[in-house]
Amino acid sequence: MADAAPSPDTPPVAVVVVIFTVVDGGLQVLLIHRSAEPHRGLWAIPGGRLNPGEQLVEAARRKLVDETGVRDVYLEQLFTFDGLDEVTPGGSLAVTYFALVDHGRVRLASRTDWRPAWFTMHRLPPLAFRNEEVLAYALERLRNKLQYSNVAYSLLPTRFTLSQLQRVHESILGRELDKRNFRKRMLSLEIIEATDERQAEGAGRPALLYRFTSREPVVI
Amino acid sequence: MADAAPSPDTPPVAVVVVIFTVVDGGLQVLLIHRSAEPHRGLWAIPGGRLNPGEQLVEAARRKLVDETGVRDVYLEQLFTFDGLDEVTPGGSLAVTYFALVDHGRVRLASRTDWRPAWFTMHRLPPLAFRNEEVLAYALERLRNKLQYSNVAYSLLPTRFTLSQLQRVHESILGRELDKRNFRKRMLSLEIIEATDERQAEGAGRPALLYRFTSREPVVI
DNA sequence: CCAAAAGTGTTTTCCGTACACCCATGC
DNA sequence: GCATGGGTGTACGGAAAACACTTTTGG
């Protein structure tokens, strides 16, 4: 590893956070409307400059809190892209993260310019900065993570029904799952446990509420 | 994503490449002996500053060619660390990559200072810059990749025997594999195919030579 | 009583693993 | 002819997938 001698020739570094949530059966992502050039009028993944002395993950958490007001959610580094922003001479870097938030806890920043909004992943608006690539990569990672970790804890309230959990999985995977197999698997993984409470969902039999045995990331 | 306004307050960016090879049954990694401070006398993963205007992957390829003379091998971005180099005020970033090279093709740079050398992964010298972390992460990723991709193509000559391929897998996974099961699996994945040539390995029946059906990264 | 959602078991298929012997060659 | 490495098949167990009906509640 080279000595890191200070130099003016170092590219600007942005930290960018793909924020996912699931709302009534759809996987959604938070985007910002650009009111300034470049790419004015397009939508972009929220992000900003890394402050001097700030750690990457701190910067990502800061962006997340700025945009949604939530903290203590699942946050993972995705990939570092270069040249996303094709206008900076000498190039630029974007260290991307992805985060999962329970829609019920989010309070979107209300700004007149740069307004944030949720978009369904399969109906995205025109995006700035090759953000299609970033989102595609984030979705792929999320789908993988879902299979062998408990990340879904970050998308649901502390107590939830198995049907809610199944809908979250279905939204992310983009396909329907068999109810019996899904329940069997979730319970055998021992990442969730039943509480003694029930919750009615409109008409129909009330469902048992479950909780995650751990609300920290756990690899299965 | 923020506008990338130029600013002097951007951290220095290093690109670092974990270079793996397999030599007679052992997974080895290329390290550089530091003859200057900080961490003089310790060993470090090769890397260097990202040049202005240079893409990350280009910088990684450049380092790889500098150190080993090889090109067109498997190279993948690992993770971006901050503060590895704890001496730079305001922090620094290290974008890490890992590469897999066929030991037979390598010509190490011969320098008097910063001399490069191969080390067996389970007998590492004292390392600089929290490089233990980086190596542990790289090894984990390599083990995963090995299971569901054809990355091993980059560790072997174009033609190889199944025993050679098995030894590569065993070196990386750190455990012995059953010959029959290994062959069954490799052949069923359809990432390798038999040639009509044979190769004798000392005494004993000559082995069929195989080749990878693709020498580009393929996910299984 | 009927619509709506919750809950529940069995069978089959596929994949990973365990395991032992014969084959071709060099010396 | 023997030491060395190459090559092969079968049986078991566990996980995932396919598949349909009963239960509990609200209206």
Side-chain angles (χ1 to χ4, degrees):
Chain A
M1 196 153 2
D3 294 358
S7 147
D9 288 331
T10 203
V13 176
V15 174
V16 164
V17 188
V18 179
I19 304 170
F20 286 120
T21 197
V22 173
V23 198
D24 41 62
L27 178 64
Q28 305 209 336
V29 63
L30 187 68
L31 297 173
I32 299 292
H33 187 253
R34 291 188 58 81
S35 60
E37 295 299 342
H39 295 202
R40 153 183 279 174
L42 301 187
W43 293 80
I45 304 166
R49 288 292 300 278
L50 179 65
N51 291 334
E54 188 179 36
Q55 290 188 349
L56 290 168
V57 70
E58 279 174 16
R61 272 198 278 262
R62 172 170 58 79
K63 282 311 295 180
L64 182 64
V65 173
D66 282 359
E67 296 296 338
T68 65
V70 302
R71 47 187 87 232
D72 297 323
V73 297
Y74 187 75
L75 182 66
E76 171 180 321
Q77 193 188 108
L78 250 191
F79 197 80
T80 299
F81 292 86
D82 50 17
L84 280 190
D85 157 19
E86 64 286 350
V87 299
T88 306
S92 65
L93 298 184
V95 184
T96 59
Y97 281 77
F98 82 95
L100 305 177
V101 301
D102 169 15
H103 194 253
R105 292 172 61 202
V106 174
R107 294 295 166 263
L108 287 189
S110 57
R111 289 180 294 231
T112 49
D113 56 344
W114 295 66
R115 57 179 202 275
W118 294 107
F119 289 88
T120 299
M121 274 299 279
H122 47 264
R123 241 174 306 145
L124 292 172
L127 299 180
F129 301 123
R130 288 163 49 214
N131 276 186
E132 296 85 351
E133 250 178 84
V134 182
L135 290 184
Y137 192 69
L139 178 58
E140 189 192 331
R141 272 277 268 285
L142 172 56
R143 284 180 174 165
N144 287 332
K145 267 284 144 85
L146 194 63
Q147 308 296 326
Y148 59 91
S149 79
N150 66 345
V151 289
Y153 78 84
S154 206
L155 288 161
L156 286 166
T158 51
R159 281 140 199 265
F160 53 88
T161 68
L162 283 179
S163 296
Q164 287 169 342
L165 180 60
Q166 184 174 343
R167 282 192 291 270
V168 163
H169 278 243
E170 288 174 337
S171 304
I172 292 171
L173 299 176
R175 63 192 161 91
E176 301 206 330
L177 300 172
D178 179 85
K179 186 162 48 161
R180 285 162 294 186
N181 294 336
F182 179 77
R183 285 164 185 243
K184 225 179 308 169
R185 196 165 74 88
M186 284 300 126
L187 293 169
S188 73
L189 293 177
E190 299 185 329
I191 58 174
I192 58 172
E193 58 193 10
T195 68
D196 52 6
E197 295 169 85
R198 289 164 189 281
Q199 188 178 70
E201 188 93 25
R205 175 172 170 174
L208 249 189
L209 288 172
Y210 287 76
R211 64 169 156 249
F212 282 92
T213 49
S214 166
R215 303 206 118 241
E216 298 297 314
V218 171
V219 175
I220 302 166
Chain B
M1 196 153 1
D3 293 0
S7 147
D9 289 330
T10 203
V13 177
V15 174
V16 164
V17 188
V18 178
I19 304 171
F20 286 119
T21 198
V22 173
V23 198
D24 40 62
L27 179 64
Q28 306 209 336
V29 63
L30 187 68
L31 297 173
I32 299 291
H33 187 254
R34 290 187 59 81
S35 60
E37 294 298 341
H39 295 205
R40 153 184 279 174
L42 302 187
W43 293 80
I45 304 165
R49 288 293 301 279
L50 179 66
N51 290 333
E54 189 179 35
Q55 290 187 353
L56 290 169
V57 71
E58 278 175 17
R61 272 198 278 260
R62 172 170 59 78
K63 282 312 294 178
L64 182 63
V65 172
D66 282 0
E67 297 296 339
T68 65
V70 302
R71 46 188 86 232
D72 298 323
V73 298
Y74 187 76
L75 183 66
E76 172 181 320
Q77 192 189 107
L78 251 192
F79 196 80
T80 299
F81 292 85
D82 48 19
L84 279 192
D85 159 18
E86 65 285 351
V87 298
T88 306
S92 64
L93 297 185
V95 184
T96 59
Y97 281 77
F98 81 96
L100 305 176
V101 302
D102 169 14
H103 193 253
R105 291 171 63 202
V106 174
R107 296 293 166 265
L108 286 191
S110 57
R111 287 178 296 229
T112 50
D113 56 345
W114 295 67
R115 56 178 203 275
W118 293 109
F119 289 88
T120 299
M121 274 299 279
H122 48 265
R123 241 175 306 145
L124 292 172
L127 299 180
F129 300 124
R130 286 164 52 212
N131 276 185
E132 296 86 351
E133 248 178 85
V134 181
L135 289 185
Y137 192 70
L139 178 58
E140 188 192 331
R141 270 278 266 287
L142 172 56
R143 285 180 173 165
N144 287 332
K145 266 285 144 82
L146 194 64
Q147 309 296 328
Y148 59 90
S149 79
N150 65 345
V151 289
Y153 77 83
S154 206
L155 288 162
L156 286 166
T158 53
R159 281 142 201 265
F160 53 88
T161 68
L162 283 180
S163 296
Q164 287 169 344
L165 180 60
Q166 184 175 342
R167 282 192 290 271
V168 164
H169 278 244
E170 288 174 337
S171 305
I172 293 171
L173 299 176
R175 62 190 162 94
E176 301 206 331
L177 300 172
D178 179 86
K179 186 161 50 159
R180 286 163 293 188
N181 293 337
F182 179 75
R183 286 164 184 244
K184 223 181 311 168
R185 197 166 72 89
M186 284 301 125
L187 293 169
S188 74
L189 293 177
E190 298 185 330
I191 59 175
I192 58 172
E193 57 192 12
T195 68
D196 51 6
E197 293 169 86
R198 286 163 191 283
Q199 188 178 69
E201 188 94 25
R205 175 172 171 176
L208 248 189
L209 287 172
Y210 287 77
R211 64 169 155 250
F212 281 92
T213 50
S214 166
R215 303 204 117 242
E216 298 296 315
V218 171
V219 176
I220 303 167

